[in-house]
Amino acid sequence: VTELHAPTAPRPPPTKRWLWLIVGMLLTALAIVAGVQWRQFSLLNASVRYEGDNIVWSFFQLEVEYLKLRGLLRDVEQDPARLDRDALQTRLDLFVSRVALVEPRRTQAQIATQPIQSDTVARIQAFVARADALLGSDPDKPLAPAVPHALLAQLEPLAAPVHDMAMWANEAMAAQVGARSELVRQQSRISIAMVAFQLLMTVAFAAIVLRQLRALEQRSNALERLAGRLQVATSDAEAASRTKSAFLANMSHELRTPFQGVLGMLALIEDGPLNDQQADQLRTARESAQHLLALLNDVLDVSTLEHGQVRLVPTPTALPRLVAEVEALMRGPALSKGLALRVQRVTEVPGFVLVDATRLKQILFNLLGNAIKFTDTGAVVMEVGVEQDPGGPPQMCFKVIDSGIGMDEPTLARLFKRFSQGDDSTLRRFGGTGLGLEISRSLARMMEGDITVHSAPGLGSSFVLRVPLPVCDAPTAGAGLHTGAAMVTPPLRVLVAEDHPINRKYLEALLARMGHTVTLCENGELAAQAAAGQDFDVVLMDMHMPVMDGFAATQAIRALPAPRGVVPVFALTADAFAETRERAARAGMNDFLPKPVQPAELKQALNRMFGRPVIEGAAAAQDAGLSVSPAGAVRPSEMAPAGRSTTARPARASSRSDPPEAAHAKTPAHNTAGDSASAPVPWLDRMAPEVIFGDLPPDTHATFLNDFFEDDSGTIARLSQRLDGRADRALRQAAHAVKGVAMNLGLTRLANTAAVIETLPSDTSAAQIQALHDRLFSELAQSRVACLEAGWIETPAVDTEPA
Amino acid sequence: MPVSRRSLLALPAALALGALPCQTFAIDAPTGKVVLSVSTSGRPPVDFDMAMIEKLPQRSFTTATPWYPEPRTFTGPLLRDVLAAASAKGALLRAVALNDYKIEIPAADATKHDMIVARLLDGKPMPVREKGPLFIIYPFDSSAELRSERYYSRSAWQLRTLEVR
């Protein structure tokens, strides 16, 4: 690769050297040309200076004046009468004036002086001296006739030298001009050569620049190609990642579908007649299956955490209650191993904190579950307290201490790493994916906290979870009852769309046992046809099906005219990805059930939508106008997230939320709250505890009251949301739910107000609704006080006593 | 602006032109030897002897010339004064020397340059042997334009006659 790239690689040093060389040569050439032109300029200047009087012209002028003087003297020689002294003197003066111009000291700058010049000038000067002597200095004195004769005799011999000197000067000057011309020609040649050289250099310069430009272009092309390849590689990688996600989702679906069948069938067999041995074997099979489910859920958790799809939803949460729940659920496993489980408060603990309760519980379940799993004798202790971190917000601190096998340094170092679990022997001994701690730590860090660990072999371990949990006020209305607790779902007409025959069979059995009528379809297309052809109260729709999948089928159903087009549709799916939930919501689905479908979850989901108060009489009387199937579609944001259990979560986790069906059976018709607007309605129905909860454990009523006041199920919150605007059907439904619960619990005044809201005409003004809203919350608070006074509940709401 | 500048420049020129008619010198008949004749076609020539030339306003300056190795001082009347004294007007002057050397000089030169008809060299009269008695001299040092063969050749020495056309 390197060799391939070498030719295109830039090598600036040699090119730079060439450029500098060319620049240097160009500058030299320019300097030479400038020098030559300066010399030519100087030459021209010199010649101009002496042009003032042409030298050769001066020599010939001298000869002319000589000839004129000689002519005058010859005339006088022939005719002495013509002698004019003034004229003679002027001629002589003119001749003399020309002599000065040809003296060597004046001409030597241009013509090298020769004997012919100096001798002749000397002879002329001698003649002038003699002539001046002959003529004398007095201009008025007449000249003797002999004087011109003598002058002529002196002048005649000068004719040849004067002429020869003129000829010599002419030749010398011509040679000079020739030499100068030759010089100019030579310099012109140099100039031309230099210009040609410059041209050559410029061409070379241009060639190098062109080469550079071409190289640059090649490099930029290469870079572009590289960028293109990188882009392709990036999108390939992204596509691969998407494929991986899809694979995970599909795989989980494929794994969980038969799994649902296993669990479902096991549950059905457990209900049948069994001998002890079979029951034991079945229990083992169910526990194994549930363990497998836990592992599968861990894998899904990791994959969703990895994709950043897990979002925390902090809500005001009663911390003591949360701790008590965790403790209650972990006590069973601890007891079954003969371990003591103690939960201790080491400092004051705030009543309410803002936290994602599900995720916090998940972490605590994991830590406690691990502690129990790795401890054979002794105790597992959880200390709960607040740590005041100097310079930071106070942190909630959960410390889980066990007296188990402990860990050595190398094990601690690998502890939170994926797939690592103590060592291989531990893995064989205890099983598990080893993902639990990694998930817990990821969640703790998402909450801006962390998990630390201290341990030594044989000395047990202590895991500490620290999270900054903002203290908050109790929610405006207390959390309610588990919806299922006091609600019951009437018999429904259920359409089930599920491709897998075992799952179909399982769901059919499950729903039938709950008293519902079931219609089964093998795929989405058949389901859409069935939903178009007859009325159903609810549709359970598997997402992955042949022919037409659940999304398309739901869209097809939503395209039907009302009421068949608005039938509630619950999604059934094995993948827990947030995308899938969003897609389901977009397709128009109302709720979301993770597979394998647990009986409790299905019951809860149905209750959420169809639940009616246990006291049928009063409700039925007021419900005359309402159809059995409520139409209010749950908005996507309200869709319940798929609750994931955790590694250590016991299989019985959901048992507590099972509604006391006995209550249903024993509920007598009972009503005090009706249309009583005249007399002041009493706050409480003193008979309720005995009539409704008489056969149940003694603290059940109190627990349900606390649940209701803390609004765990959001019953009051939903009504509060609806109380902001119009008196529509959604408001009536929400009020109806509150009314039912309040009546069951014996909160007569509150039930009465809820009944008023439920029967509001649709043109009620917003102000009136607001007034009722205020009244409802005021009465809620006062009902709580009344319950306290009556001894139905104790303050504070719930506390956790050490075991 | 250009208008006002031009008018400012025009002021001294107008004064100079206005001064010309005032310098109508009385032309006496020459009493000595005639050294300069100014001829205008259609009129008899006006002759000057040296005394008449001396009486005209004299101007003196020192300048380098091609004929002497060092700068020399020349003295004499301005050529335009001489022409005015002879009431000679024309576009072209022809200078004729004692030896019949002839050279043509544009009359504009006389107004444009302060050229003089020199009669003294370094304060002394010039004999014929030293390019006298009269020598037309341009103020060569005043302008680079004048230091060229064209003006050197127009500087006639041993001046004898000016023909005005």
Side-chain angles (χ1 to χ4, degrees):
Chain A
V1 174
T2 316
E3 278 171 1
L4 277 174
H5 276 263
T8 56
R11 280 181 303 175
T15 312
K16 242 183 195 166
R17 267 208 298 281
W18 273 110
L19 278 177
W20 281 117
L21 198 68
I22 286 177
V23 166
M25 292 207 289
L26 273 175
L27 285 178
T28 311
L30 281 171
I32 290 171
V33 169
V36 165
Q37 291 189 339
W38 173 251
R39 277 200 62 192
Q40 285 182 345
F41 182 69
S42 309
L43 211 62
L44 207 63
N45 268 3
S47 60
V48 165
R49 204 173 304 149
Y50 292 102
E51 261 174 340
D53 233 356
N54 188 303
I55 299 282
V56 179
W57 171 247
S58 298
F59 281 95
F60 279 100
Q61 282 270 296
L62 179 69
E63 192 182 0
V64 166
E65 292 304 330
Y66 168 82
L67 292 175
K68 282 186 179 172
L69 180 59
R70 196 180 68 176
L72 182 70
L73 287 173
R74 279 184 181 172
D75 286 352
V76 172
E77 182 85 358
Q78 284 184 357
D79 183 2
R82 290 168 66 180
L83 178 62
D84 177 348
R85 190 195 157 98
D86 274 355
L88 182 57
Q89 186 67 52
T90 303
R91 264 300 139 224
L92 181 63
D93 285 350
L94 284 171
F95 176 62
V96 174
S97 74
R98 281 345 189 227
V99 175
L101 296 178
V102 299
E103 282 175 9
R105 67 182 165 87
R106 183 169 176 267
T107 61
Q108 63 196 5
Q110 282 179 297
I111 310 177
T113 307
Q114 292 274 316
I116 187 172
Q117 184 190 9
S118 46
D119 291 355
T120 307
V121 168
R123 284 177 68 179
I124 293 170
Q125 283 167 342
F127 162 77
V128 170
R130 277 194 295 275
D132 285 348
L134 283 171
L135 288 173
S137 57
D138 185 359
D140 297 330
K141 191 183 167 190
L143 278 180
V147 171
H149 182 73
L151 275 176
L152 185 62
Q154 296 275 337
L155 191 64
E156 287 285 8
L158 289 174
V162 167
H163 183 69
D164 289 350
M165 186 172 71
M167 290 300 121
W168 162 81
N170 190 34
E171 279 168 28
M173 208 55 212
Q176 192 102 29
V177 168
R180 195 192 297 167
S181 301
E182 184 52 37
L183 194 64
V184 169
R185 237 194 317 277
Q186 202 180 342
Q187 288 173 351
S188 295
R189 270 199 297 273
I190 293 174
S191 285
I192 289 168
M194 286 298 128
V195 167
F197 181 68
Q198 281 180 40
L199 197 72
L200 210 67
M201 289 294 110
T202 309
V203 167
F205 187 77
I208 287 180
V209 167
L210 267 178
R211 220 192 76 181
Q212 285 292 91
L213 281 177
R214 216 168 19 237
L216 209 65
E217 200 179 45
Q218 277 171 357
R219 279 180 60 200
S220 92
N221 284 346
L223 276 176
E224 257 170 44
R225 280 196 299 276
L226 185 63
R229 280 202 301 276
L230 284 177
Q231 206 165 15
V232 169
T234 308
S235 61
D236 281 356
E238 280 167 2
S241 170
R242 278 196 299 275
T243 309
K244 193 185 119 191
S245 297
F247 172 75
L248 254 178
N250 286 327
M251 229 23 231
S252 63
H253 171 71
E254 295 302 330
L255 284 171
R256 285 154 66 103
T257 302
F259 194 71
Q260 184 186 18
V262 173
L263 270 179
M265 287 304 142
L266 286 175
L268 291 175
I269 296 169
E270 265 187 324
D271 284 355
L274 299 169
N275 63 33
D276 286 354
Q277 194 187 3
Q278 283 172 324
D280 192 45
Q281 286 164 347
L282 203 58
R283 189 173 49 77
T284 310
R286 197 194 57 211
E287 277 170 7
S288 301
Q290 271 159 349
H291 183 63
L292 190 56
L293 176 64
L295 297 186
L296 209 51
N297 288 339
D298 275 358
V299 173
L300 278 170
D301 260 348
V302 168
S303 90
T304 49
L305 277 169
E306 222 170 47
H307 282 74
Q309 287 168 332
V310 172
R311 287 180 200 90
L312 295 178
V313 188
T315 50
T317 303
L319 193 60
R321 221 177 95 90
L322 184 143
V323 173
E325 272 178 30
V326 173
E327 184 195 357
L329 288 170
M330 297 313 290
R331 176 155 290 130
L335 285 173
S336 70
K337 281 191 81 174
L339 299 172
L341 173 65
R342 287 199 295 274
V343 176
Q344 298 169 347
R345 279 191 302 169
V346 292
T347 66
E348 281 296 312
V349 173
F352 282 87
V353 290
L354 209 55
V355 71
D356 187 326
T358 312
R359 295 303 185 178
L360 179 60
K361 276 194 232 173
Q362 183 176 351
I363 298 172
L364 294 178
F365 281 140
N366 176 247
L367 295 181
L368 282 169
N370 283 343
I372 291 164
K373 192 196 283 185
F374 292 104
T375 305
D376 292 331
T377 56
V380 171
V381 178
M382 179 162 79
E383 294 178 354
V384 183
V386 179
E387 275 186 359
Q388 283 299 335
D389 181 15
Q395 291 197 316
M396 278 308 300
C397 175
F398 303 87
K399 191 184 223 173
V400 176
I401 306 155
D402 67 50
S403 57
I405 56 173
M407 289 169 281
D408 54 12
E409 280 299 320
T411 310
L412 285 173
R414 299 198 306 269
L415 198 58
F416 292 101
K417 305 244 174 71
R418 183 172 303 183
F419 308 130
S420 84
Q421 188 187 43
D423 55 38
D424 292 345
S425 62
T426 325
L427 179 65
R428 279 193 295 277
R429 189 170 147 205
F430 296 103
T433 55
L435 292 173
L437 270 178
E438 187 188 325
I439 294 166
S440 294
R441 176 177 262 191
S442 298
L443 289 171
R445 288 184 175 167
M446 279 178 76
M447 294 175 182
E448 293 171 358
D450 205 352
I451 295 176
T452 52
V453 59
H454 296 281
S455 182
L459 296 176
S461 311
S462 73
F463 286 81
V464 182
L465 163 69
R466 285 189 183 82
V467 273
L469 294 182
V471 175
C472 67
D473 294 331
T476 45
L481 222 36
H482 261 295
T483 315
M487 307 285 272
V488 71
T489 305
L492 301 172
R493 293 161 294 174
V494 185
L495 173 64
V496 173
E498 163 67 65
D499 59 321
H500 205 287
I502 297 174
N503 285 346
R504 271 205 306 280
K505 202 168 161 194
Y506 166 64
L507 282 171
E508 184 181 21
L510 195 61
L511 288 163
R513 217 167 53 158
M514 291 176 183
H516 306 304
T517 314
V518 184
T519 307
L520 296 171
C521 294
E522 286 171 32
N523 61 49
E525 193 176 356
L526 295 174
Q529 283 168 8
Q534 50 181 298
D535 288 332
F536 290 101
D537 299 316
V538 66
V539 180
L540 302 186
M541 182 76 76
D542 186 26
M543 293 286 87
H544 301 267
M545 286 183 292
V547 186
M548 182 189 274
D549 68 11
F551 303 107
T554 306
Q555 280 161 356
I557 291 171
R558 290 287 173 255
L560 297 173
R564 286 178 186 167
V566 296
V567 62
V569 177
F570 290 4
L572 306 179
T573 181
D575 42 344
F577 292 104
E579 288 132 69
T580 313
R581 277 210 292 278
E582 280 164 24
R583 268 187 77 196
R586 275 202 303 276
M589 299 197 175
N590 304 75
D591 210 339
F592 187 94
L593 281 171
K595 285 167 83 172
V597 176
Q598 305 274 6
E601 289 181 52
L602 177 60
K603 191 171 280 184
Q604 258 182 340
L606 291 174
N607 274 345
R608 271 201 293 276
M609 193 151 289
F610 304 101
R612 313 176 75 194
V614 174
I615 303 161
E616 287 295 324
Q622 304 216 342
D623 263 355
L626 286 176
S627 76
V628 173
S629 154
V634 179
R635 287 203 301 262
S637 63
E638 292 172 353
M639 286 181 67
R644 293 266 137 254
S645 60
T646 63
T647 310
R649 192 167 187 162
R652 290 177 288 141
S654 60
S655 62
R656 193 171 172 277
S657 56
D658 280 349
E661 290 182 40
H664 177 211
K666 297 186 188 219
T667 303
H670 171 86
N671 182 21
T672 50
D675 44 0
S676 54
S678 51
V681 178
W683 285 102
L684 302 176
D685 174 7
R686 304 285 169 186
M687 297 297 288
E690 196 192 330
V691 171
I692 302 173
F693 295 94
D695 289 341
L696 292 169
D699 60 349
T700 311
H701 185 220
T703 308
F704 283 0
L705 278 171
N706 280 321
D707 285 351
F708 176 70
F709 286 127
E710 286 172 31
D711 200 19
D712 256 8
S713 60
T715 316
I716 294 169
R718 267 196 291 282
L719 175 58
S720 177
Q721 272 173 16
R722 300 291 179 208
L723 269 170
D724 57 356
R726 292 167 294 108
D728 53 11
R729 185 167 173 172
L731 173 67
R732 280 194 290 275
Q733 274 174 3
H736 176 77
V738 171
K739 183 190 75 180
V741 178
M743 275 194 302
N744 279 345
L745 294 173
L747 307 174
T748 318
R749 177 75 77 90
L750 200 61
N752 187 52
T753 305
V756 171
I757 295 170
E758 192 186 354
T759 54
L760 283 176
S762 53
D763 58 353
T764 309
S765 73
Q768 270 178 288
I769 294 178
Q770 183 59 44
L772 280 167
H773 182 264
D774 295 343
R775 176 175 151 196
L776 182 81
F777 281 98
S778 152
E779 287 180 352
L780 187 68
Q782 291 182 62
S783 298
R784 193 171 196 174
V785 172
C787 289
L788 282 169
E789 286 169 350
W792 287 5
I793 54 171
E794 285 172 13
T795 179
V798 167
D799 206 346
T800 309
E801 283 302 315
Chain B
M1 272 317 261
V3 174
S4 66
R5 176 176 289 181
R6 203 178 301 140
S7 60
L8 276 175
L9 287 174
L11 190 62
L15 284 174
L17 287 170
L20 281 177
C22 302
Q23 290 176 334
T24 43
F25 308 102
I27 296 296
D28 307 321
T31 52
K33 186 184 171 189
V34 173
V35 291
L36 178 66
S37 302
V38 179
S39 67
T40 312
S41 51
R43 283 200 303 174
V46 179
D47 292 334
F48 292 84
D49 61 9
M50 200 53 91
M52 289 162 72
I53 289 176
E54 279 170 24
K55 274 205 283 184
L56 292 171
Q58 300 292 300
R59 184 70 72 92
S60 186
F61 57 77
T62 304
T63 183
T65 64
W67 306 283
Y68 306 100
E70 299 92 26
R72 308 291 287 266
T73 304
F74 298 88
T75 309
L78 289 169
L79 175 59
R80 54 177 176 262
D81 287 350
V82 173
L83 295 173
S87 304
K89 282 176 188 162
L92 201 64
L93 309 176
R94 173 180 282 184
V96 183
L98 282 174
N99 66 338
D100 293 333
Y101 174 85
K102 291 174 185 154
I103 187 75
E104 290 192 336
I105 302 171
D109 276 12
T111 51
K112 205 161 126 197
H113 305 290
D114 287 342
M115 48 198 293
I116 60 174
V117 180
R119 60 177 185 88
L120 298 176
L121 176 64
D122 292 337
K124 283 182 275 190
M126 289 183 281
V128 174
R129 293 187 183 188
E130 291 172 19
K131 303 184 177 69
L134 297 174
F135 196 159
I136 294 180
I137 290 287
Y138 285 78
F140 297 113
D141 283 356
S142 69
S143 156
E145 178 203 349
L146 296 176
R147 289 190 290 276
S148 70
E149 178 57 23
R150 176 188 295 176
Y151 292 98
Y152 292 144
S153 67
R154 285 177 190 172
S155 302
W157 39 279
Q158 292 175 343
L159 177 69
R160 176 62 186 82
T161 307
L162 281 170
E163 294 170 10
V164 183
R165 282 185 285 169

